Amino acid sequence: MAERGRPASPLIVVLSGPGGAGKGTIARMLVEADGSLRLSRSWTSRERRADDPDDDYVFVDRAAFEARRADDGFIEWNEFLGCYYGTPVPDPADDRVLLLEIDVAGGRQVLDRHADALCVFVDAPSDAELYRRLVGRGDGADRAASRISEAARERVEAARIGYRMLVNDDIETAVAEVAAMIAERLAKMPDVG
Ligand code: 5GP
């Protein structure tokens, strides 16, 4: 049957890729279009910025983060610029597809624990286009250049550990492609009926 079954545990979908490639927009559009998808809310120990939307992160101090980590309460975590970031272990009773917007180092940890996770590396069509988008978002030339070399490193690592690669040159097409990858993966998952 083409009917979508209920997976035995939530399917985890990881979106990674350079800033400016559009993974945040893709995640938002997917969740808006399909109520069976849920965006994971990370914990972070960084200070809240004025432009942070209310529900972007759970803001905690380092001690609270470390306590949850010691309890094995994160499926992955990382330290970035001196601050912790982590994805809380999802509620097993929640059968919605869980979308994570995290870096490739985090995606690698997710795959270690959940080999059936779907990991997608969202890329810009070219470095020149990525540079244009980054500078357009306010990055200086040096910062854009260092993000582009970091993206090159992440791209190689992502391909090596089993990410699906996706070039976002048209947002509607990119969203449809990720939705198709999710449907394909769900169709192969065991059904709890
Ligand atoms: P920002 O402080 O700008 O919101 O995020 C900094 C970096 O942390 C970004 O590269 C972002 O993708 C990454 N990040 C956000 N949440 C998580 C998370 O839960 N886990 C990991 N591994 N990285 C995260």
Side-chain angles (χ1 to χ4, degrees), residues 42 46 49 57 76-78 80 85-87 101-103 106:
S42 295
R46 85 153 156 75
R49 291 190 298 245
Y57 288 110
E76 63 77 36
W77 68 277
N78 204 358
F80 178 78
Y85 294 83
T87 303
E101 204 195 312
I102 59 177
D103 56 11

Side-chain angles (χ1 to χ4, degrees), residues 15 17 23 40-44 46-47 49 52 56-57 65 74 76-81 83-88 100-107 109 143 147 154:
L15 297 181
K23 60 183 187 300
S40 171
R41 189 172 175 201
S42 295
W43 282 35
T44 183
R46 85 153 156 75
E47 291 292 314
R49 291 190 298 245
D52 279 322
D56 241 22
Y57 288 110
F65 193 101
F74 295 111
E76 63 77 36
W77 68 277
N78 204 358
E79 194 163 8
F80 178 78
L81 297 180
C83 301
Y84 293 133
Y85 294 83
T87 303
L100 315 184
E101 204 195 312
I102 59 177
D103 56 11
V104 173
Q109 295 173 56
R143 179 143 175 88
R147 283 208 210 224
E154 279 210 315

Side-chain angles (χ1 to χ4, degrees), residues 101-166:
E101 204 195 312
I102 59 177
D103 56 11
V104 173
R108 179 163 28 79
Q109 295 173 56
V110 171
L111 284 170
D112 285 345
R113 286 175 77 135
H114 300 271
D116 57 355
L118 169 66
C119 295
V120 184
F121 189 85
V122 179
D123 217 342
S126 66
D127 283 355
E129 172 63 13
L130 187 55
Y131 183 86
R132 199 186 62 74
R133 292 183 195 174
L134 288 168
V135 170
R137 280 181 5 166
D139 272 0
D142 284 355
R143 179 143 175 88
S146 66
R147 283 208 210 224
I148 286 167
S149 50
E150 172 63 10
R153 197 196 57 72
E154 279 210 315
R155 190 177 293 124
V156 172
E157 167 78 352
R160 192 180 66 77
I161 63 177
Y163 269 75
R164 308 270 301 259
M165 309 305 274
L166 174 73

Side-chain angles (χ1 to χ4, degrees), residues 86-100:
T87 303
V89 172
D91 174 358
D94 190 340
D95 62 5
R96 288 175 295 175
V97 172
L98 188 65
L99 273 183
L100 315 184

